[in-house]
């Protein structure tokens, strides 16, 4: 089992973000199971034709998000905590709610701001 990543050079998304998103998605859907050892930064950079710093930036972001963990000389692995993304999102939502309240927004205004942010990140909501 290996990491399958394809970089689209013409994408508006930066290469490091493409690497980050694809590894995170494969970890989330189980293609890369918890404990799976990832290639070294240098090896993945060489395989993808990217700068080492680009892959290192993606790995740092993934580690901050709890998707991967680095075990020193032993390597980098998909993190065991399968719901790390959910926990991180819940913490971010709590921070947002506290900040919106401090700013004096009522619930509807805060919810509208959150919907706008989600729409910008994910695209338009499906018709319901």
């Amino acid at each position: 089992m290996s990491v399958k990543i394809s970089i689209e050079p013409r994408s508006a998304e930066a290469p490091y973000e493409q690497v980050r998103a694809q590894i995170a998605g494969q970890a989330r859907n189980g293609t890369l199971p918890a404990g799976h050892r990832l290639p070294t930064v240098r090896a993945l950079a060489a395989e993808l034709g990217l700068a080492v710093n680009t892959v290192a930036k993606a790995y740092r972001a993934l580690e901050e998000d709890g998707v991967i963990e680095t075990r020193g000389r032993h390597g980098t692995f998909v993190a065991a905590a399968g719901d790390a993304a959910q926990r991180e999102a819940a913490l971010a939502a709590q921070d947002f709610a506290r900040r919106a309240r401090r700013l004096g927004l009522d619930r509807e205004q805060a919810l509208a701001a959150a919907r706008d942010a989600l729409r910008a990140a994910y695209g338009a909501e499906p018709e319901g």
Side-chain angles (χ1 to χ4, degrees), residues 21-32:
Q22 290 178 52
I23 290 175
Q26 291 176 40
R28 206 172 23 257
N29 72 20
T31 303
L32 293 175

Side-chain angles (χ1 to χ4, degrees), residues 17-112:
E17 177 56 24
Q18 292 180 52
V19 172
R20 188 211 61 77
Q22 290 178 52
I23 290 175
Q26 291 176 40
R28 206 172 23 257
N29 72 20
T31 303
L32 293 175
H36 177 78
R37 186 176 183 169
L38 296 172
T40 65
V41 168
R42 288 186 189 281
L44 187 57
E47 181 182 324
L48 298 174
L50 296 173
V52 171
N53 287 340
T54 299
V55 175
K57 185 175 182 179
Y59 274 27
R60 279 191 305 272
L62 288 162
E63 192 159 23
E64 287 172 11
D65 291 345
V67 175
I68 65 172
E69 57 188 11
T70 301
R71 300 179 191 162
R73 293 177 163 227
H74 298 289
T76 302
F77 299 83
V78 175
D83 60 347
Q86 283 293 94
R87 283 194 310 272
E88 185 73 22
L91 288 172
Q94 290 169 7
D95 288 343
F96 167 78
R98 282 191 291 273
R99 187 167 184 192
R101 189 170 186 175
R102 273 195 318 268
L103 291 170
L105 300 179
D106 64 27
R107 286 177 191 251
E108 286 306 312
Q109 291 170 319
L111 191 54

